[in-house]
């Protein structure tokens, strides 16, 4: 009888311990779920703020082509809509696994900071380089007219013509580079960044080279104008 | 009567002389003008055009210089955005 009582006591104790452990685990899981939802919501809100600021900057940009503005605006608007839907979905999750999947997708599916924002800035820089490039090209045509007229008037313009040829080479190289970067960058998606984290840095370097070609063309143009004035 | 005739002849000679001198003066004036033409309106226009072209080129250089300055600003924004890529931190899921 004594043994039976002891065994019963042990069983009851073990049962209580098991229930308590199960409750503790359940409570811990609920806390984890709550934490993931809270932190995920914060991260989504941070991204939505950034995207809304970016959208305003795109709209007010004066040196971005209307086609690029439309493309970027559509992309940013789509990200804002999707992230807003994800925020609602995450808040309604009841399992830790589903909440974790949602939270991870905030980074891997959207790439707001890693791709979208720098991509928009790269497109803006490419268009900016192309705008200067177009002005340089128009100036080169004027300079060619002046040099041709001076040659007809009997002036020695060989040196000026060589400088203008060099200027045109710089203009062409900058134009090809900036157009290439613009055409590739506008199509970039988060998956492209996922497979190559350095892709935007490469575009930045190419645009820097194009910028330097524009700078060189301007310096050459100044020399040519001085030469024309001295004829 | 004879004195009057003499006076009349003298008057005619003077008038004819004045006319000859006047005609000669006009002829000489025209010859001089033809030999030394005044600067034409076309030459003046050409000079003004050259000045205008030089001013136009200077304005173009100034405009392009500002445009390239804007490129530098936009380039800085790209660098900032690339530095901000580190904000893409993973959301803790534990």
């Amino acid at each position: 009888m004594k043994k039976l009582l002891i065994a019963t006591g042990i069983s009851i104790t073990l049962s209580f311990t098991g229930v308590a452990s199960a409750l503790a685990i359940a409570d811990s899981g609920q806390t984890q779920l709550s934490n993931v939802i809270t932190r995920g919501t914060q991260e989504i809100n941070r991204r939505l703020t950034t995207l809304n600021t970016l959208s305003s900057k795109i709209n007010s940009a004066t040196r971005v082509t209307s086609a690029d503005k439309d493309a970027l605006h559509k992309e940013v608007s789509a990200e804002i809509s999707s992230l807003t839907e994800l925020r609602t979905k995450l808040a309604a999750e009841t399992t830790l696994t589903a909440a974790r999947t949602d939270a991870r997708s905030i980074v891997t599916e959207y790439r707001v900071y890693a791709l979208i924002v720098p991509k928009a800035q790269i497109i803006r820089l490419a268009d900016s380089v192309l705008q200067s490039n177009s002005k340089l090209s128009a100036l080169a045509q004027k300079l060619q007219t002046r040099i041709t007229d001076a040659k007809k008037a009997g002036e020695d313009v060989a040196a000026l013509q060589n400088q203008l040829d060099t200027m045109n080479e710089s203009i062409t190289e900058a134009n090809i580079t900036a157009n290439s970067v613009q055409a590739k960058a506008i199509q970039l998606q988060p998956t492209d960044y996922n497979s190559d984290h350095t892709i935007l840095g490469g575009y930045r370097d190419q645009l820097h080279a194009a910028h330097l070609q524009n700078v060189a063309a301007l310096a050459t143009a100044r020399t040519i104008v001085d030469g024309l004035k001295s004829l | 009567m004879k004195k009057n005739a003499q006076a009349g002849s003298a008057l005619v000679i003077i008038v004819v002389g004045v006319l000859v001198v006047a005609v000669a003066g006009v002829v000489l004036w025209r010859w001089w003008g033809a030999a030394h033409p005044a600067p034409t309106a076309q030459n003046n226009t050409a000079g003004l055009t050259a000045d205008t072209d030089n001013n136009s080129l200077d304005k173009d250089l100034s405009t392009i210089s500002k445009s390239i300055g804007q490129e530098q600003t936009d380039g800085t924004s790209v660098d900032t955005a690339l530095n901000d890529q580190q904000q893409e931190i993973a959301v803790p899921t534990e």
Side-chain angles (χ1 to χ4, degrees), chain A residues 46-47 63 100 111-112 114 121 124 128 132 142 146 204 211 214 229, chain B residues 53-54 56 58 60 67 70-71 74 77-79 85 87-88 93-94:
Chain A
R46 190 162 71 93
R47 283 161 173 77
R63 292 165 66 87
R100 281 173 174 166
R111 292 295 185 193
V112 172
Q121 297 295 355
R124 188 167 84 158
S128 186
S132 302
K142 286 185 183 180
R146 288 287 301 272
R204 185 266 313 273
H211 164 71
N214 275 351
K229 287 178 181 176
Chain B
D53 283 351
N54 286 339
S56 171
D58 287 338
D60 287 343
S67 185
Q70 186 59 47
E71 279 179 38
D74 292 338
S77 296
V78 170
D79 290 340
Q85 282 183 311
Q87 290 190 50
E88 194 79 284
T93 56
E94 299 304 325

PDB file of all heavy atoms in Angstrom, chain A residues 46-47 63 100 111-112 114 121 124 128 132 142 146 204 211 214 229, chain B residues 53-54 56 58 60 67 70-71 74 77-79 85 87-88 93-94:
ATOM      1  N   ARG A  46      10.027  50.807 -41.480  1.00  0.00           N
ATOM      2  CA  ARG A  46      11.254  51.561 -41.816  1.00  0.00           C
ATOM      3  C   ARG A  46      11.434  51.608 -43.331  1.00  0.00           C
ATOM      4  O   ARG A  46      11.761  52.655 -43.905  1.00  0.00           O
ATOM      5  CB  ARG A  46      12.462  50.877 -41.157  1.00  0.00           C
ATOM      6  CG  ARG A  46      13.754  51.661 -41.224  1.00  0.00           C
ATOM      7  CD  ARG A  46      14.742  51.143 -40.187  1.00  0.00           C
ATOM      8  NE  ARG A  46      15.265  49.827 -40.520  1.00  0.00           N
ATOM      9  CZ  ARG A  46      16.405  49.620 -41.205  1.00  0.00           C
ATOM     10  NH1 ARG A  46      17.106  50.652 -41.635  1.00  0.00           N
ATOM     11  NH2 ARG A  46      16.839  48.404 -41.444  1.00  0.00           N
ATOM     12  N   ARG A  47      11.182  50.495 -43.962  1.00  0.00           N
ATOM     13  CA  ARG A  47      11.324  50.444 -45.425  1.00  0.00           C
ATOM     14  C   ARG A  47      10.253  51.268 -46.129  1.00  0.00           C
ATOM     15  O   ARG A  47      10.531  51.912 -47.146  1.00  0.00           O
ATOM     16  CB  ARG A  47      11.285  48.979 -45.895  1.00  0.00           C
ATOM     17  CG  ARG A  47      12.598  48.253 -45.641  1.00  0.00           C
ATOM     18  CD  ARG A  47      12.436  46.739 -45.668  1.00  0.00           C
ATOM     19  NE  ARG A  47      13.739  46.077 -45.575  1.00  0.00           N
ATOM     20  CZ  ARG A  47      14.443  45.943 -44.455  1.00  0.00           C
ATOM     21  NH1 ARG A  47      13.973  46.455 -43.316  1.00  0.00           N
ATOM     22  NH2 ARG A  47      15.613  45.335 -44.464  1.00  0.00           N
ATOM     23  N   ARG A  63      16.618  65.998 -63.589  1.00  0.00           N
ATOM     24  CA  ARG A  63      17.567  65.517 -64.607  1.00  0.00           C
ATOM     25  C   ARG A  63      17.346  64.043 -64.954  1.00  0.00           C
ATOM     26  O   ARG A  63      18.187  63.428 -65.590  1.00  0.00           O
ATOM     27  CB  ARG A  63      19.010  65.726 -64.109  1.00  0.00           C
ATOM     28  CG  ARG A  63      19.370  67.209 -64.013  1.00  0.00           C
ATOM     29  CD  ARG A  63      20.623  67.422 -63.186  1.00  0.00           C
ATOM     30  NE  ARG A  63      21.806  66.869 -63.778  1.00  0.00           N
ATOM     31  CZ  ARG A  63      22.587  67.499 -64.650  1.00  0.00           C
ATOM     32  NH1 ARG A  63      22.282  68.707 -65.039  1.00  0.00           N
ATOM     33  NH2 ARG A  63      23.668  66.931 -65.124  1.00  0.00           N
ATOM     34  N   ARG A 100       8.336  33.624 -39.298  1.00  0.00           N
ATOM     35  CA  ARG A 100       9.754  33.674 -39.673  1.00  0.00           C
ATOM     36  C   ARG A 100       9.916  33.786 -41.196  1.00  0.00           C
ATOM     37  O   ARG A 100      10.753  34.541 -41.692  1.00  0.00           O
ATOM     38  CB  ARG A 100      10.473  32.426 -39.183  1.00  0.00           C
ATOM     39  CG  ARG A 100      10.807  32.475 -37.702  1.00  0.00           C
ATOM     40  CD  ARG A 100      11.375  31.136 -37.247  1.00  0.00           C
ATOM     41  NE  ARG A 100      11.848  31.188 -35.866  1.00  0.00           N
ATOM     42  CZ  ARG A 100      12.142  30.112 -35.148  1.00  0.00           C
ATOM     43  NH1 ARG A 100      12.004  28.918 -35.667  1.00  0.00           N
ATOM     44  NH2 ARG A 100      12.571  30.257 -33.922  1.00  0.00           N
ATOM     45  N   ARG A 111      14.688  43.888 -50.963  1.00  0.00           N
ATOM     46  CA  ARG A 111      16.011  44.505 -51.138  1.00  0.00           C
ATOM     47  C   ARG A 111      15.923  46.027 -51.269  1.00  0.00           C
ATOM     48  O   ARG A 111      16.503  46.633 -52.181  1.00  0.00           O
ATOM     49  CB  ARG A 111      16.719  43.916 -52.363  1.00  0.00           C
ATOM     50  CG  ARG A 111      17.109  42.463 -52.215  1.00  0.00           C
ATOM     51  CD  ARG A 111      18.132  42.267 -51.152  1.00  0.00           C
ATOM     52  NE  ARG A 111      18.611  40.885 -51.062  1.00  0.00           N
ATOM     53  CZ  ARG A 111      19.335  40.424 -50.046  1.00  0.00           C
ATOM     54  NH1 ARG A 111      19.655  41.227 -49.048  1.00  0.00           N
ATOM     55  NH2 ARG A 111      19.735  39.187 -50.021  1.00  0.00           N
ATOM     56  N   VAL A 112      15.169  46.618 -50.351  1.00  0.00           N
ATOM     57  CA  VAL A 112      14.943  48.069 -50.422  1.00  0.00           C
ATOM     58  C   VAL A 112      16.251  48.843 -50.328  1.00  0.00           C
ATOM     59  O   VAL A 112      16.534  49.723 -51.161  1.00  0.00           O
ATOM     60  CB  VAL A 112      13.978  48.512 -49.297  1.00  0.00           C
ATOM     61  CG1 VAL A 112      13.893  50.038 -49.224  1.00  0.00           C
ATOM     62  CG2 VAL A 112      12.603  47.912 -49.540  1.00  0.00           C
ATOM     63  N   ALA A 114      19.431  47.430 -50.211  1.00  0.00           N
ATOM     64  CA  ALA A 114      20.542  46.845 -50.970  1.00  0.00           C
ATOM     65  C   ALA A 114      20.433  47.125 -52.457  1.00  0.00           C
ATOM     66  O   ALA A 114      21.439  47.240 -53.145  1.00  0.00           O
ATOM     67  CB  ALA A 114      20.595  45.335 -50.731  1.00  0.00           C
ATOM     68  N   GLN A 121      19.350  55.878 -57.488  1.00  0.00           N
ATOM     69  CA  GLN A 121      20.403  56.904 -57.511  1.00  0.00           C
ATOM     70  C   GLN A 121      21.337  56.693 -58.707  1.00  0.00           C
ATOM     71  O   GLN A 121      21.826  57.656 -59.299  1.00  0.00           O
ATOM     72  CB  GLN A 121      21.214  56.870 -56.209  1.00  0.00           C
ATOM     73  CG  GLN A 121      20.407  57.203 -54.965  1.00  0.00           C
ATOM     74  CD  GLN A 121      19.900  58.630 -54.943  1.00  0.00           C
ATOM     75  OE1 GLN A 121      20.211  59.441 -55.805  1.00  0.00           O
ATOM     76  NE2 GLN A 121      19.081  58.950 -53.952  1.00  0.00           N
ATOM     77  N   ARG A 124      19.613  57.965 -61.750  1.00  0.00           N
ATOM     78  CA  ARG A 124      19.649  59.435 -61.753  1.00  0.00           C
ATOM     79  C   ARG A 124      21.013  59.940 -62.208  1.00  0.00           C
ATOM     80  O   ARG A 124      21.112  60.878 -62.994  1.00  0.00           O
ATOM     81  CB  ARG A 124      19.328  59.965 -60.347  1.00  0.00           C
ATOM     82  CG  ARG A 124      19.149  61.482 -60.336  1.00  0.00           C
ATOM     83  CD  ARG A 124      18.523  61.957 -59.051  1.00  0.00           C
ATOM     84  NE  ARG A 124      19.513  62.121 -58.011  1.00  0.00           N
ATOM     85  CZ  ARG A 124      19.354  62.889 -56.944  1.00  0.00           C
ATOM     86  NH1 ARG A 124      18.230  63.554 -56.771  1.00  0.00           N
ATOM     87  NH2 ARG A 124      20.287  62.988 -56.035  1.00  0.00           N
ATOM     88  N   SER A 128      21.958  62.050 -65.525  1.00  0.00           N
ATOM     89  CA  SER A 128      22.672  63.313 -65.313  1.00  0.00           C
ATOM     90  C   SER A 128      23.898  63.404 -66.223  1.00  0.00           C
ATOM     91  O   SER A 128      24.160  64.437 -66.854  1.00  0.00           O
ATOM     92  CB  SER A 128      23.093  63.409 -63.836  1.00  0.00           C
ATOM     93  OG  SER A 128      23.648  64.656 -63.551  1.00  0.00           O
ATOM     94  N   SER A 132      24.514  66.176 -69.445  1.00  0.00           N
ATOM     95  CA  SER A 132      25.729  66.968 -69.698  1.00  0.00           C
ATOM     96  C   SER A 132      26.330  66.582 -71.038  1.00  0.00           C
ATOM     97  O   SER A 132      26.796  67.429 -71.805  1.00  0.00           O
ATOM     98  CB  SER A 132      26.775  66.721 -68.601  1.00  0.00           C
ATOM     99  OG  SER A 132      26.266  67.047 -67.345  1.00  0.00           O
ATOM    100  N   LYS A 142      28.854  73.269 -82.648  1.00  0.00           N
ATOM    101  CA  LYS A 142      29.110  74.708 -82.836  1.00  0.00           C
ATOM    102  C   LYS A 142      30.601  74.957 -83.100  1.00  0.00           C
ATOM    103  O   LYS A 142      30.973  75.754 -83.963  1.00  0.00           O
ATOM    104  CB  LYS A 142      28.697  75.493 -81.592  1.00  0.00           C
ATOM    105  CG  LYS A 142      27.206  75.657 -81.406  1.00  0.00           C
ATOM    106  CD  LYS A 142      26.940  76.546 -80.204  1.00  0.00           C
ATOM    107  CE  LYS A 142      25.457  76.682 -79.927  1.00  0.00           C
ATOM    108  NZ  LYS A 142      25.197  77.543 -78.748  1.00  0.00           N
ATOM    109  N   ARG A 146      32.571  76.711 -86.324  1.00  0.00           N
ATOM    110  CA  ARG A 146      33.523  77.829 -86.212  1.00  0.00           C
ATOM    111  C   ARG A 146      34.886  77.460 -86.816  1.00  0.00           C
ATOM    112  O   ARG A 146      35.524  78.267 -87.487  1.00  0.00           O
ATOM    113  CB  ARG A 146      33.707  78.226 -84.737  1.00  0.00           C
ATOM    114  CG  ARG A 146      32.503  78.937 -84.132  1.00  0.00           C
ATOM    115  CD  ARG A 146      32.359  80.370 -84.656  1.00  0.00           C
ATOM    116  NE  ARG A 146      33.521  81.191 -84.373  1.00  0.00           N
ATOM    117  CZ  ARG A 146      33.681  81.893 -83.257  1.00  0.00           C
ATOM    118  NH1 ARG A 146      32.744  81.878 -82.323  1.00  0.00           N
ATOM    119  NH2 ARG A 146      34.757  82.632 -83.071  1.00  0.00           N
ATOM    120  N   ARG A 204      28.500  51.931 -60.521  1.00  0.00           N
ATOM    121  CA  ARG A 204      28.971  53.210 -59.980  1.00  0.00           C
ATOM    122  C   ARG A 204      30.343  53.562 -60.587  1.00  0.00           C
ATOM    123  O   ARG A 204      30.580  54.703 -61.009  1.00  0.00           O
ATOM    124  CB  ARG A 204      29.045  53.128 -58.443  1.00  0.00           C
ATOM    125  CG  ARG A 204      29.409  54.421 -57.732  1.00  0.00           C
ATOM    126  CD  ARG A 204      30.902  54.555 -57.444  1.00  0.00           C
ATOM    127  NE  ARG A 204      31.473  53.368 -56.865  1.00  0.00           N
ATOM    128  CZ  ARG A 204      31.486  53.106 -55.562  1.00  0.00           C
ATOM    129  NH1 ARG A 204      30.970  53.948 -54.716  1.00  0.00           N
ATOM    130  NH2 ARG A 204      32.075  52.003 -55.113  1.00  0.00           N
ATOM    131  N   HIS A 211      31.722  60.147 -66.190  1.00  0.00           N
ATOM    132  CA  HIS A 211      31.782  61.526 -65.663  1.00  0.00           C
ATOM    133  C   HIS A 211      33.136  62.161 -65.978  1.00  0.00           C
ATOM    134  O   HIS A 211      33.209  63.324 -66.417  1.00  0.00           O
ATOM    135  CB  HIS A 211      31.517  61.493 -64.158  1.00  0.00           C
ATOM    136  CG  HIS A 211      31.903  62.743 -63.434  1.00  0.00           C
ATOM    137  ND1 HIS A 211      31.205  63.937 -63.570  1.00  0.00           N
ATOM    138  CD2 HIS A 211      32.927  63.007 -62.578  1.00  0.00           C
ATOM    139  CE1 HIS A 211      31.779  64.867 -62.829  1.00  0.00           C
ATOM    140  NE2 HIS A 211      32.821  64.332 -62.225  1.00  0.00           N
ATOM    141  N   ASN A 214      33.341  63.285 -69.498  1.00  0.00           N
ATOM    142  CA  ASN A 214      32.652  64.576 -69.689  1.00  0.00           C
ATOM    143  C   ASN A 214      33.530  65.733 -69.205  1.00  0.00           C
ATOM    144  O   ASN A 214      33.599  66.790 -69.843  1.00  0.00           O
ATOM    145  CB  ASN A 214      31.323  64.592 -68.922  1.00  0.00           C
ATOM    146  CG  ASN A 214      30.193  63.958 -69.716  1.00  0.00           C
ATOM    147  OD1 ASN A 214      30.343  63.651 -70.892  1.00  0.00           O
ATOM    148  ND2 ASN A 214      29.051  63.768 -69.067  1.00  0.00           N
ATOM    149  N   LYS A 229      39.142  82.242 -80.231  1.00  0.00           N
ATOM    150  CA  LYS A 229      39.149  83.687 -79.920  1.00  0.00           C
ATOM    151  C   LYS A 229      40.459  84.347 -80.346  1.00  0.00           C
ATOM    152  O   LYS A 229      40.478  85.543 -80.644  1.00  0.00           O
ATOM    153  CB  LYS A 229      38.947  83.899 -78.413  1.00  0.00           C
ATOM    154  CG  LYS A 229      37.521  83.633 -77.944  1.00  0.00           C
ATOM    155  CD  LYS A 229      37.430  83.827 -76.438  1.00  0.00           C
ATOM    156  CE  LYS A 229      36.049  83.561 -75.927  1.00  0.00           C
ATOM    157  NZ  LYS A 229      35.974  83.663 -74.442  1.00  0.00           N
TER     158      LYS A 229
ATOM    159  N   ASP B  53      28.962  85.056 -81.187  1.00  0.00           N
ATOM    160  CA  ASP B  53      29.323  83.641 -81.140  1.00  0.00           C
ATOM    161  C   ASP B  53      30.242  83.344 -79.956  1.00  0.00           C
ATOM    162  O   ASP B  53      30.078  82.342 -79.274  1.00  0.00           O
ATOM    163  CB  ASP B  53      30.020  83.237 -82.439  1.00  0.00           C
ATOM    164  CG  ASP B  53      29.004  83.061 -83.560  1.00  0.00           C
ATOM    165  OD1 ASP B  53      27.808  83.080 -83.262  1.00  0.00           O
ATOM    166  OD2 ASP B  53      29.433  82.924 -84.718  1.00  0.00           O
ATOM    167  N   ASN B  54      31.224  84.244 -79.740  1.00  0.00           N
ATOM    168  CA  ASN B  54      32.132  84.021 -78.612  1.00  0.00           C
ATOM    169  C   ASN B  54      31.381  84.066 -77.290  1.00  0.00           C
ATOM    170  O   ASN B  54      31.624  83.248 -76.399  1.00  0.00           O
ATOM    171  CB  ASN B  54      33.246  85.079 -78.622  1.00  0.00           C
ATOM    172  CG  ASN B  54      34.261  84.801 -79.721  1.00  0.00           C
ATOM    173  OD1 ASN B  54      34.364  83.680 -80.199  1.00  0.00           O
ATOM    174  ND2 ASN B  54      34.988  85.837 -80.133  1.00  0.00           N
ATOM    175  N   SER B  56      28.266  83.370 -76.932  1.00  0.00           N
ATOM    176  CA  SER B  56      27.442  82.156 -76.904  1.00  0.00           C
ATOM    177  C   SER B  56      28.266  80.957 -76.442  1.00  0.00           C
ATOM    178  O   SER B  56      27.803  80.154 -75.624  1.00  0.00           O
ATOM    179  CB  SER B  56      26.869  81.904 -78.303  1.00  0.00           C
ATOM    180  OG  SER B  56      26.242  80.652 -78.360  1.00  0.00           O
ATOM    181  N   ASP B  58      30.944  81.035 -74.576  1.00  0.00           N
ATOM    182  CA  ASP B  58      31.238  81.194 -73.141  1.00  0.00           C
ATOM    183  C   ASP B  58      30.046  80.760 -72.292  1.00  0.00           C
ATOM    184  O   ASP B  58      30.201  80.119 -71.242  1.00  0.00           O
ATOM    185  CB  ASP B  58      31.600  82.649 -72.839  1.00  0.00           C
ATOM    186  CG  ASP B  58      32.992  83.001 -73.354  1.00  0.00           C
ATOM    187  OD1 ASP B  58      33.800  82.069 -73.555  1.00  0.00           O
ATOM    188  OD2 ASP B  58      33.267  84.205 -73.561  1.00  0.00           O
ATOM    189  N   ASP B  60      27.755  78.597 -73.169  1.00  0.00           N
ATOM    190  CA  ASP B  60      27.670  77.131 -73.248  1.00  0.00           C
ATOM    191  C   ASP B  60      28.647  76.474 -72.266  1.00  0.00           C
ATOM    192  O   ASP B  60      28.296  75.526 -71.559  1.00  0.00           O
ATOM    193  CB  ASP B  60      27.989  76.659 -74.672  1.00  0.00           C
ATOM    194  CG  ASP B  60      26.849  76.983 -75.641  1.00  0.00           C
ATOM    195  OD1 ASP B  60      25.734  77.255 -75.167  1.00  0.00           O
ATOM    196  OD2 ASP B  60      27.098  76.984 -76.857  1.00  0.00           O
ATOM    197  N   SER B  67      26.378  71.828 -65.201  1.00  0.00           N
ATOM    198  CA  SER B  67      25.767  70.509 -65.401  1.00  0.00           C
ATOM    199  C   SER B  67      26.685  69.400 -64.890  1.00  0.00           C
ATOM    200  O   SER B  67      26.237  68.455 -64.237  1.00  0.00           O
ATOM    201  CB  SER B  67      25.481  70.321 -66.898  1.00  0.00           C
ATOM    202  OG  SER B  67      24.793  69.129 -67.126  1.00  0.00           O
ATOM    203  N   GLN B  70      26.650  69.189 -61.235  1.00  0.00           N
ATOM    204  CA  GLN B  70      25.495  68.431 -60.745  1.00  0.00           C
ATOM    205  C   GLN B  70      25.767  66.930 -60.801  1.00  0.00           C
ATOM    206  O   GLN B  70      25.320  66.175 -59.937  1.00  0.00           O
ATOM    207  CB  GLN B  70      24.258  68.782 -61.579  1.00  0.00           C
ATOM    208  CG  GLN B  70      22.966  68.153 -61.072  1.00  0.00           C
ATOM    209  CD  GLN B  70      22.626  68.561 -59.654  1.00  0.00           C
ATOM    210  OE1 GLN B  70      22.687  69.746 -59.311  1.00  0.00           O
ATOM    211  NE2 GLN B  70      22.298  67.585 -58.816  1.00  0.00           N
ATOM    212  N   GLU B  71      26.529  66.519 -61.826  1.00  0.00           N
ATOM    213  CA  GLU B  71      26.926  65.098 -61.926  1.00  0.00           C
ATOM    214  C   GLU B  71      27.666  64.675 -60.655  1.00  0.00           C
ATOM    215  O   GLU B  71      27.446  63.585 -60.125  1.00  0.00           O
ATOM    216  CB  GLU B  71      27.872  64.874 -63.101  1.00  0.00           C
ATOM    217  CG  GLU B  71      27.200  64.745 -64.443  1.00  0.00           C
ATOM    218  CD  GLU B  71      28.240  64.547 -65.539  1.00  0.00           C
ATOM    219  OE1 GLU B  71      29.230  63.843 -65.317  1.00  0.00           O
ATOM    220  OE2 GLU B  71      28.068  65.141 -66.623  1.00  0.00           O
ATOM    221  N   ASP B  74      25.233  64.200 -57.878  1.00  0.00           N
ATOM    222  CA  ASP B  74      24.494  62.941 -58.051  1.00  0.00           C
ATOM    223  C   ASP B  74      25.387  61.734 -57.756  1.00  0.00           C
ATOM    224  O   ASP B  74      24.911  60.719 -57.243  1.00  0.00           O
ATOM    225  CB  ASP B  74      23.944  62.855 -59.478  1.00  0.00           C
ATOM    226  CG  ASP B  74      22.855  63.898 -59.727  1.00  0.00           C
ATOM    227  OD1 ASP B  74      22.260  64.375 -58.743  1.00  0.00           O
ATOM    228  OD2 ASP B  74      22.622  64.252 -60.897  1.00  0.00           O
ATOM    229  N   SER B  77      25.450  61.137 -54.119  1.00  0.00           N
ATOM    230  CA  SER B  77      24.218  60.473 -53.665  1.00  0.00           C
ATOM    231  C   SER B  77      24.298  58.969 -53.904  1.00  0.00           C
ATOM    232  O   SER B  77      23.793  58.175 -53.095  1.00  0.00           O
ATOM    233  CB  SER B  77      23.008  61.042 -54.416  1.00  0.00           C
ATOM    234  OG  SER B  77      22.835  62.402 -54.118  1.00  0.00           O
ATOM    235  N   VAL B  78      24.930  58.576 -55.001  1.00  0.00           N
ATOM    236  CA  VAL B  78      25.105  57.143 -55.275  1.00  0.00           C
ATOM    237  C   VAL B  78      25.994  56.514 -54.199  1.00  0.00           C
ATOM    238  O   VAL B  78      25.679  55.451 -53.657  1.00  0.00           O
ATOM    239  CB  VAL B  78      25.726  56.917 -56.664  1.00  0.00           C
ATOM    240  CG1 VAL B  78      26.124  55.453 -56.847  1.00  0.00           C
ATOM    241  CG2 VAL B  78      24.739  57.310 -57.757  1.00  0.00           C
ATOM    242  N   ASP B  79      27.097  57.190 -53.886  1.00  0.00           N
ATOM    243  CA  ASP B  79      28.004  56.662 -52.856  1.00  0.00           C
ATOM    244  C   ASP B  79      27.278  56.508 -51.522  1.00  0.00           C
ATOM    245  O   ASP B  79      27.461  55.514 -50.814  1.00  0.00           O
ATOM    246  CB  ASP B  79      29.214  57.594 -52.694  1.00  0.00           C
ATOM    247  CG  ASP B  79      30.136  57.533 -53.907  1.00  0.00           C
ATOM    248  OD1 ASP B  79      30.051  56.546 -54.652  1.00  0.00           O
ATOM    249  OD2 ASP B  79      30.921  58.472 -54.103  1.00  0.00           O
ATOM    250  N   GLN B  85      23.622  50.512 -47.956  1.00  0.00           N
ATOM    251  CA  GLN B  85      23.204  49.126 -48.200  1.00  0.00           C
ATOM    252  C   GLN B  85      23.283  48.282 -46.928  1.00  0.00           C
ATOM    253  O   GLN B  85      22.553  47.315 -46.780  1.00  0.00           O
ATOM    254  CB  GLN B  85      24.080  48.477 -49.279  1.00  0.00           C
ATOM    255  CG  GLN B  85      23.708  48.886 -50.697  1.00  0.00           C
ATOM    256  CD  GLN B  85      24.564  48.167 -51.723  1.00  0.00           C
ATOM    257  OE1 GLN B  85      25.781  48.131 -51.603  1.00  0.00           O
ATOM    258  NE2 GLN B  85      23.930  47.595 -52.725  1.00  0.00           N
ATOM    259  N   GLN B  87      22.132  48.931 -44.247  1.00  0.00           N
ATOM    260  CA  GLN B  87      20.872  48.986 -43.497  1.00  0.00           C
ATOM    261  C   GLN B  87      19.987  47.779 -43.796  1.00  0.00           C
ATOM    262  O   GLN B  87      18.974  47.568 -43.139  1.00  0.00           O
ATOM    263  CB  GLN B  87      20.104  50.254 -43.848  1.00  0.00           C
ATOM    264  CG  GLN B  87      20.744  51.520 -43.323  1.00  0.00           C
ATOM    265  CD  GLN B  87      19.812  52.711 -43.495  1.00  0.00           C
ATOM    266  OE1 GLN B  87      18.652  52.654 -43.118  1.00  0.00           O
ATOM    267  NE2 GLN B  87      20.320  53.783 -44.063  1.00  0.00           N
ATOM    268  N   GLU B  88      20.401  47.010 -44.818  1.00  0.00           N
ATOM    269  CA  GLU B  88      19.629  45.834 -45.199  1.00  0.00           C
ATOM    270  C   GLU B  88      19.935  44.698 -44.242  1.00  0.00           C
ATOM    271  O   GLU B  88      20.332  43.599 -44.667  1.00  0.00           O
ATOM    272  CB  GLU B  88      19.974  45.416 -46.631  1.00  0.00           C
ATOM    273  CG  GLU B  88      18.982  44.415 -47.237  1.00  0.00           C
ATOM    274  CD  GLU B  88      17.719  45.058 -47.720  1.00  0.00           C
ATOM    275  OE1 GLU B  88      16.864  45.397 -46.873  1.00  0.00           O
ATOM    276  OE2 GLU B  88      17.591  45.252 -48.939  1.00  0.00           O
ATOM    277  N   THR B  93      14.793  36.445 -36.313  1.00  0.00           N
ATOM    278  CA  THR B  93      13.618  35.554 -36.318  1.00  0.00           C
ATOM    279  C   THR B  93      13.620  34.584 -35.163  1.00  0.00           C
ATOM    280  O   THR B  93      12.919  33.586 -35.184  1.00  0.00           O
ATOM    281  CB  THR B  93      13.573  34.757 -37.633  1.00  0.00           C
ATOM    282  OG1 THR B  93      14.801  34.056 -37.787  1.00  0.00           O
ATOM    283  CG2 THR B  93      13.326  35.661 -38.821  1.00  0.00           C
ATOM    284  N   GLU B  94      14.466  34.817 -34.183  1.00  0.00           N
ATOM    285  CA  GLU B  94      14.501  33.919 -33.008  1.00  0.00           C
ATOM    286  C   GLU B  94      13.844  34.589 -31.822  1.00  0.00           C
ATOM    287  O   GLU B  94      13.794  35.803 -31.748  1.00  0.00           O
ATOM    288  CB  GLU B  94      15.948  33.558 -32.676  1.00  0.00           C
ATOM    289  CG  GLU B  94      16.655  32.818 -33.791  1.00  0.00           C
ATOM    290  CD  GLU B  94      15.942  31.556 -34.219  1.00  0.00           C
ATOM    291  OE1 GLU B  94      15.354  30.875 -33.364  1.00  0.00           O
ATOM    292  OE2 GLU B  94      15.968  31.233 -35.409  1.00  0.00           O
TER     293      GLU B  94
END
